[in-house]
Amino acid sequence: MVDVTTIQSGTVFAWFMLLMVLRRVVMLVVAGVAARGKPRPPGRVPEDYGSRGNPAEIPVQPEFTKDMRVNKTITNDTENDTYFLILLLATVVFSDPSNGNVIRTIVYGAIYLFARICFAIAYIMGWQPWRSLCFAIGLACTLACSLDLVITMSRRSN
């Protein structure tokens, strides 16, 4: 039987971060569903409007320069990198010493970094399907790192 006092802090943290990442995924899905059929707010990049709706309904947008796209990419990186970096640090602190294998941590970091670099390039260049794919790969890597941490921490003896 597990007593509450024997639960390790790393396990609690791993579950908390998993719930945070899942909450973010749910929020993205809800935002996408809620935006259907509603007028689009100004300030979005033009390729956001091309995939759905009647072209006549698309509001006239100001020209998005590369500088504006770079600034939006930096803001997006600030929002998304925080989750992954916390998970990667937690994996290094809690998981790697117990199993002695850092290869998974390196692979997660490399895949995430590559996906975010590709996302930034695709966003700045305005390559719509590719930026969504790169974003999804980065988000999937964050979720995989979180699940790996939860599984590893849950297997540890209390």
Side-chain angles (χ1 to χ4, degrees):
M1 176 178 272
V2 176
D3 185 14
V4 176
T5 58
T6 63
I7 297 175
Q8 296 182 9
S9 59
T11 305
V12 174
F13 179 78
W15 279 100
F16 175 77
M17 285 306 296
L18 176 64
L19 292 176
M20 291 292 290
V21 172
L22 290 176
R23 178 188 66 97
R24 185 160 177 81
V25 170
V26 169
M27 286 174 48
L28 286 170
V29 170
V30 168
V33 170
R36 292 186 143 192
K38 293 188 178 179
R40 295 160 177 103
R44 302 290 304 262
V45 291
E47 63 268 11
D48 285 350
Y49 299 109
S51 62
R52 56 187 169 118
N54 184 357
E57 298 173 1
I58 297 172
V60 177
Q61 295 290 313
E63 179 63 29
F64 271 79
T65 63
K66 298 279 189 222
D67 295 340
M68 295 171 76
R69 288 177 181 270
V70 168
N71 286 332
K72 287 182 77 77
T73 302
I74 291 170
T75 302
N76 188 284
D77 281 345
T78 303
E79 293 171 358
N80 291 291
D81 290 352
T82 305
Y83 287 103
F84 185 76
L85 291 174
I86 290 171
L87 282 168
L88 198 65
L89 178 63
T91 302
V92 168
V93 170
F94 295 121
S95 178
D96 287 348
S98 67
N99 63 17
N101 186 0
V102 298
I103 293 174
R104 289 187 319 223
T105 307
I106 294 169
V107 169
Y108 288 139
I111 291 172
Y112 183 82
L113 182 62
F114 181 74
R116 292 306 295 182
I117 289 170
C118 291
F119 170 80
I121 292 168
Y123 193 90
I124 291 168
M125 300 306 289
W127 300 336
Q128 170 48 29
W130 299 110
R131 76 172 187 160
S132 297
L133 179 66
C134 293
F135 180 83
I137 291 170
L139 188 61
C141 188
T142 303
L143 184 60
C145 187
S146 182
L147 284 171
D148 186 289
L149 183 62
V150 165
I151 291 167
T152 303
M153 293 306 298
S154 296
R155 284 183 175 175
R156 289 174 87 179
S157 61
N158 290 328

